[in-house]
Amino acid sequence: MTAAAGDSSQCVTRTLDVRVDGSVVFAEICAPPMNLLGPELVRDLVSLIRAAEADDSARVLVFSSADPDYFISHVDVTKVAQYRAEAAELVGEPSIGLLFRRLSESRLVSIAQIQGRVRGAGSEFVLACDMRFAARESALFCQLEQAFATIPGAGGVQHLTRLLGRGRALEVMLSAQDCDADVAERYGWINRALPAAELPGFVTALAHRIAGFPAAAHAVLKDRVNEITLAPAEAFRRDSDLFAEGLSSPEGSSRMRAAMRRGFQTPDGEMDLPRMLGTLSDGPDERLS
């Protein structure tokens, strides 16, 4: 992927459809069949962030999805090393958590316009955005890592605990259940749940309103808010290490094998994922398979 410095409209990507309207950069995620976060999407996010940050006229980034069923489903668990290597191109370390944190730190104001499923690292990506607005009819949120004997490794622990409070954060992470947009709004996972027909217009109007104010003030305000709410980089590194340790443990490995046999990372399996995750086993029969 390449991008012309200083012109975010020239960002060339395969999994993001990028268009620029004034000072607002719109990026629509298109990584079929279900918008898995793999090396190509991470590479394109790196290119987009670089190009937009180098473009003095860019002030707001809006992320949406071309797939009504999936915003970002979760990471591609078969390509962990590859997508981490792509993240290192921007942040110098093989960590999507630090890549997402870079978006939180950016002078750019980022908004997630969410429809469909947002699970695992998909949830962690939208949590790294400055604001989140979701379609009431279709958006579903989940941190699924406990089903694989591990923890969210890309910022979920840090963001959800601060946004939801201890009890609700533990509920959503320990249960690995889907939350609809109304629950996510009530808990503080998102800013607002809106009817799907109203969502694009609302987000576009908000993005242009924000973009009309001085960019320098955006950066100062984000810096002050981040001092209060954004966890230090070391906390992200620790969660990333724990995620990898849990996933590679005997329990995590056996549960992942069982999930893959039952359709994890396939369109049919992902549509009913929480039910399937709730029936996984890490018993001897799975470990020998």
Side-chain angles (χ1 to χ4, degrees), residues 60-116:
V60 181
L61 271 175
V62 176
F63 294 96
S64 63
S65 172
D67 187 333
D69 291 325
Y70 300 97
F71 184 87
I72 295 176
S73 49
H74 50 75
V75 298
D76 185 343
V77 297
T78 69
K79 299 178 179 177
V80 175
Q82 296 96 313
Y83 71 64
R84 284 185 165 186
E86 295 295 342
E89 291 295 314
L90 183 63
V91 295
E93 298 179 45
S95 167
I96 58 166
L98 290 179
L99 173 62
F100 294 168
R101 190 178 185 277
R102 167 67 178 271
L103 182 62
S104 299
E105 287 184 304
S106 174
R107 67 167 181 84
L108 301 163
V109 176
S110 52
I111 302 175
Q113 176 184 307
I114 304 161
Q115 59 181 356

Side-chain angles (χ1 to χ4, degrees), residues 250-251 253-259 261-262 279-289:
E251 295 83 358
S253 297
S254 66
R255 283 175 166 268
M256 183 59 71
R257 289 194 299 271
R261 285 196 299 272
R262 297 189 193 186
T279 63
L280 293 180
S281 168
D282 57 2
D285 56 324
E286 299 291 3
R287 295 182 189 188
L288 294 173
S289 59

